[in-house]
């Protein structure tokens, strides 16, 4: 009964009565992702990429993807030398990273700094002033504040932006905990440079590249594995970047010299906002969207990402409770607790191995479901968690298989960061099922590039310097 016609690895059928098995099937069967549906998802994803790559701006506007040129063309090759800085800004905590390369081997020092609520809601200049002072504090501690040579710095700026050059972008909107009344429409690199001039004059840094966390994750993955050509964020939200062949980019305006590829930031979380994925959206995904903070947007993410996976599972469980299949029709906290059943709960339940019920029972206790819970109830909960998780993994992997096939290499590694991929015990294997069937000509490997966006920013600074030295166009 599991998605993409794969049989369940649980023994649910043996535990359930004929009646409950039939009822469970009736709820899950409409959610099945057949190979035909997976192919349609892949085709829709590919269509959005083609539209976003068009030379016609009006055509590009019809796409749910951005397919943004990052201007990063050089990857790591194992010969790197010297000191590089990485800055990772994407939440209340941000980090400054020093990477010291010797013969391609990186020695990394990281320090975290905290932005206050007052700073997060004040003028943007206050945010960048604090960052500049934090960089100075870090350099003093590392004995580099008096460096005679400027240290190249890569800046991971994890907010929706339009990339204009290797070290220039335009902020489209603040997200997460940032509520600054200004800064939108400005260049974060220019804002940081102004703060350095204002607060820490003569700070020996040179901001040579700005990027999203997905791009820096790809760079971190490329350090771990030189065959890494895809970066994927798979946590609360989702995005991907990949190394695309310049010959496949219709809107390319740069040169065609070596290297004949460039990292492209897909911005895929909104795939389906224009309706292209309506054919596979279930009633549960539509309800998640209706009650989310951003109805009508980030449609793709709402099928699998960490922000939404738990709620998807809860809605299916509520359906089974209301028809009397589960918990004898009584489970008020689950029925009324919108957003209370989280992806962490799903991950805990999915961590029960074999016949074990311990984690599942512990999760159910948190919802007042202790006494009276039967083996059938537990089997149904486990089946729904596995089914919805696997379905989600297949959806994101379907999109990734399109990128893999675009790259056209015999072996491709995907560098992944994010709590969903890291903590869910079955997501990796479920994604691999899709790659084996839909990217048969490429040996796909997935690796965890944990917290890669700080280190990856420093690695991108290496790329930027190499490109400048070679005269590769960077804007």
């Amino acid at each position: 009964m599991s998605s993409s016609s794969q049989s369940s690895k649980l023994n649910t059928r043996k535990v359930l009565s004929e009646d409950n098995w039939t009822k469970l099937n009736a709820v899950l069967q409409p959610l099945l992702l057949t190979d035909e549906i997976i192919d349609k998802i892949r085709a829709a994803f590919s269509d959005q990429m083609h539209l976003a790559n068009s030379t016609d701006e009006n055509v590009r506007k019809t796409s749910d993807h951005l397919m943004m040129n990052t201007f990063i063309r050089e990857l790591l090759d194992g010969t790197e030398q010297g000191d590089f800085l990485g800055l990772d800004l994407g939440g209340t905590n941000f980090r400054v990273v020093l990477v010291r390369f010797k013969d391609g081997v990186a020695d990394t020092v990281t320090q975290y700094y905290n932005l206050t609520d007052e700073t997060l809601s004040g003028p943007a200049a206050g945010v960048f002033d604090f960052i500049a002072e934090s960089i100075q504090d870090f350099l003093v501690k590392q004995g580099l504040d008096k460096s005679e040579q400027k240290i190249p710095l890569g800046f991971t700026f994890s907010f929706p932006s339009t990339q204009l050059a290797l070290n220039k972008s335009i902020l489209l909107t603040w997200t997460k905990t940032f509520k600054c009344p200004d800064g939108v429409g400005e260049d974060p690199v220019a804002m940081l440079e102004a703060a350095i001039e204002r607060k820490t004059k003569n700070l020996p840094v040179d901001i040579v590249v700005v990027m999203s966390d997905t791009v820096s994750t790809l760079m971190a993955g490329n350090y771990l594995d030189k065959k890494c050509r895809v970066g994927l964020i798979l946590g609360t939200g989702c995005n991907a970047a990949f190394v695309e062949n310049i010959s496949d980019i219709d809107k390319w305006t740069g040169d065609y010299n070596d290297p004949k590829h460039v990292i492209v930031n897909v911005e895929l979380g909104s795939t389906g906002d224009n309706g292209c994925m309506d054919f596979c959206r279930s009633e549960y995904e539509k309800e998640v969207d209706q009650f989310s903070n951003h109805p009508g947007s980030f449609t793709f993410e709402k099928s699998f990402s960490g922000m939404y996976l738990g709620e998807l599972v809860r809605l299916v469980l509520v359906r089974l409770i209301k028809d009397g299949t589960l918990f004898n029709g009584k489970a008020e906290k689950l029925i009324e607790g919108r957003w209370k059943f989280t992806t962490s709960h799903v991950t805990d339940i999915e961590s029960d191995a074999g016949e074990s019920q311990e984690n599942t029972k512990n999760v159910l206790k948190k919802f007042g479901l202790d006494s009276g819970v039967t083996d059938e109830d537990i089997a149904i909960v486990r089946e729904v968690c596995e089914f919805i998780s696997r379905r989600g993994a297949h959806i994101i992997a379907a999109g990734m298989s399109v990128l893999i096939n675009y790259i056209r290499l015999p072996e491709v590694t995907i560098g992944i960061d994010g709590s969903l991929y890291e903590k869910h015990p079955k997501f990796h294997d479920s994604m691999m099922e899709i790659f084996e069937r839909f990217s048969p000509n490429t040996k796909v490997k997935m690796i965890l590039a944990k917290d890669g966006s700080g280190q990856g920013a420093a690695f991108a600074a290496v790329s930027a310097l190499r490109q400048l030295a070679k005269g590769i166009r960077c804007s």
Side-chain angles (χ1 to χ4, degrees):
M1 180 172 24
S2 194
S3 58
S4 286
S5 307
Q6 296 288 312
S7 60
S8 172
K9 296 184 174 60
L10 302 175
N11 293 319
T12 313
R13 179 68 187 91
K14 295 178 182 178
V15 178
L16 299 190
S17 67
E18 191 66 40
D19 184 46
N20 278 345
W21 175 252
T22 301
K23 287 179 177 177
L24 179 61
N25 241 320
V27 171
L28 297 185
Q29 197 69 31
L31 306 178
L32 276 172
L33 298 179
T34 62
D35 281 2
E36 181 182 6
I37 294 173
I38 292 288
D39 261 331
K40 286 183 71 176
I41 292 171
R42 295 178 67 252
F45 197 93
S46 182
D47 286 345
Q48 297 307 304
M49 290 174 64
H50 280 297
L51 293 170
N53 264 335
S54 172
T55 56
D56 186 334
E57 184 180 359
N58 291 323
V59 172
R60 293 200 296 271
K61 287 178 179 177
T62 67
S63 174
D64 286 337
H65 293 172
L66 288 182
M67 297 293 285
M68 197 180 303
N69 178 8
T70 67
F71 302 93
I72 299 173
R73 292 169 66 178
E74 288 281 344
L75 300 175
L76 303 180
D77 62 12
T79 65
E80 294 76 25
Q81 308 280 358
D83 292 351
F84 299 86
L85 290 168
L87 177 65
D88 180 19
L89 177 68
T92 305
N93 298 321
F94 74 93
R95 57 193 152 184
V96 185
V97 176
L98 170 65
V99 170
R100 295 197 131 139
F101 269 115
K102 185 176 181 182
D103 300 326
V105 177
D107 180 42
T108 303
V109 178
T110 302
Q111 183 162 342
Y112 288 83
Y113 295 87
N114 294 310
L115 288 154
T116 64
D117 290 340
E118 185 180 0
T119 304
L120 291 168
S121 57
V127 171
F128 288 95
D129 285 351
F130 184 72
I131 294 171
E133 290 168 341
S134 299
I135 296 171
Q136 183 179 50
D137 174 76
F138 181 78
L139 291 182
V140 168
K141 289 175 178 174
Q142 300 304 317
L144 292 170
D145 56 310
K146 299 290 195 293
S147 173
E148 293 182 5
Q149 289 188 321
K150 286 195 172 185
I151 306 166
L153 184 147
F155 186 8
T156 296
F157 186 72
S158 300
F159 300 91
S161 304
T162 299
Q163 192 97 22
L164 299 179
L166 200 59
N167 63 345
K168 183 174 184 177
S169 66
I170 299 297
L171 173 63
L172 298 177
T173 181
W174 291 110
T175 56
K176 304 164 191 172
T177 53
F178 285 70
K179 298 171 184 174
C180 303
D182 60 344
V184 172
E186 307 265 348
D187 174 12
V189 173
M191 286 192 279
L192 180 53
E193 287 175 338
I196 290 171
E197 181 69 19
R198 194 164 51 239
K199 291 287 183 179
T200 58
K201 200 163 185 173
N202 301 320
L203 195 67
V205 298
D206 184 13
I207 308 166
V208 293
V209 60
V210 63
M211 75 220 81
S212 73
D213 53 354
T214 316
V215 174
S216 49
T217 296
L218 192 163
M219 293 302 299
N222 183 244
Y223 171 71
L224 296 169
D225 183 335
K226 295 298 181 285
K227 293 174 182 174
C228 182
R229 292 294 183 275
V230 181
L232 175 63
I233 300 293
L234 196 46
T236 305
C238 179
N239 188 25
F242 74 114
V243 181
E244 186 168 25
N245 296 301
I246 288 171
S247 58
D248 291 334
I249 306 175
D250 294 340
K251 64 182 179 183
W252 179 254
T253 57
D255 63 57
Y256 289 84
N257 301 330
D258 287 331
K260 293 179 169 47
H261 56 234
V262 66
I263 296 178
V264 168
N265 180 11
V266 182
E267 291 293 354
L268 57 76
S270 295
T271 312
D273 285 6
N274 62 9
C276 68
M277 293 286 182
D278 283 356
F279 64 89
C280 66
R281 290 180 71 213
S282 67
E283 60 185 277
Y284 309 105
E285 284 148 309
K286 290 174 184 175
E287 185 170 342
V288 162
D289 178 53
Q290 180 186 348
F291 290 94
S292 71
N293 289 333
H294 305 284
S297 60
F298 303 105
T299 300
F300 199 53
E301 290 183 2
K302 288 170 182 169
S303 294
F304 57 83
S305 80
M307 177 74 78
Y308 307 106
L309 186 64
E311 179 65 2
L312 284 170
V313 168
R314 188 193 71 86
L315 291 173
V316 176
L317 295 179
V318 167
R319 171 75 176 272
L320 292 163
I321 293 165
K322 288 184 174 180
D323 71 13
T325 308
L326 188 58
F327 305 130
N328 203 25
K330 297 174 183 176
E332 288 78 11
K333 285 188 177 180
L334 266 180
I335 293 172
E336 297 170 5
R338 198 177 293 278
W339 304 109
K340 300 296 185 187
F341 194 89
T342 66
T343 300
S344 292
H345 293 131
V346 176
T347 297
D348 287 345
I349 290 169
E350 284 278 72
S351 297
D352 268 338
E355 302 300 317
S356 174
Q357 300 179 342
E358 183 181 357
N359 291 330
T360 306
K361 285 181 176 179
N362 287 339
V363 169
L364 294 179
K365 280 180 186 177
K366 296 174 183 177
F367 292 88
L369 296 164
D370 192 353
S371 60
V373 173
T374 66
D375 285 346
E376 285 204 33
D377 290 332
I378 289 172
I380 290 171
V381 170
R382 288 187 64 189
E383 181 71 32
V384 171
C385 285
E386 183 188 77
F387 184 98
I388 298 299
S389 294
R390 206 164 180 204
R391 181 180 187 270
H394 285 181
I395 289 173
I396 179 58
M400 291 301 95
S401 72
V402 176
L403 302 187
I404 295 293
N405 295 348
Y406 260 70
I407 293 168
R408 298 193 297 274
L409 288 174
E411 296 182 48
V412 171
T413 296
I414 305 175
I416 309 179
D417 195 8
S419 54
L420 179 59
Y421 177 79
E422 179 186 1
K423 295 179 180 178
H424 196 296
K426 300 177 182 176
F427 232 77
H428 176 100
D429 289 349
S430 295
M431 290 177 69
M432 286 302 298
E433 292 168 356
I434 295 300
F435 296 136
E436 286 162 6
R437 297 212 302 283
F438 294 92
S439 297
N441 298 322
T442 302
K443 181 181 178 182
V444 179
K445 178 181 176 183
M446 292 188 288
I447 60 171
L448 181 66
K450 184 173 172 57
D451 297 332
S453 48
Q455 196 181 38
F459 296 158
V462 177
S463 302
L465 284 198
R466 283 183 177 164
Q467 290 176 206
L468 290 168
K470 291 181 179 181
I472 295 173
R473 181 181 168 187
C474 299
S475 63

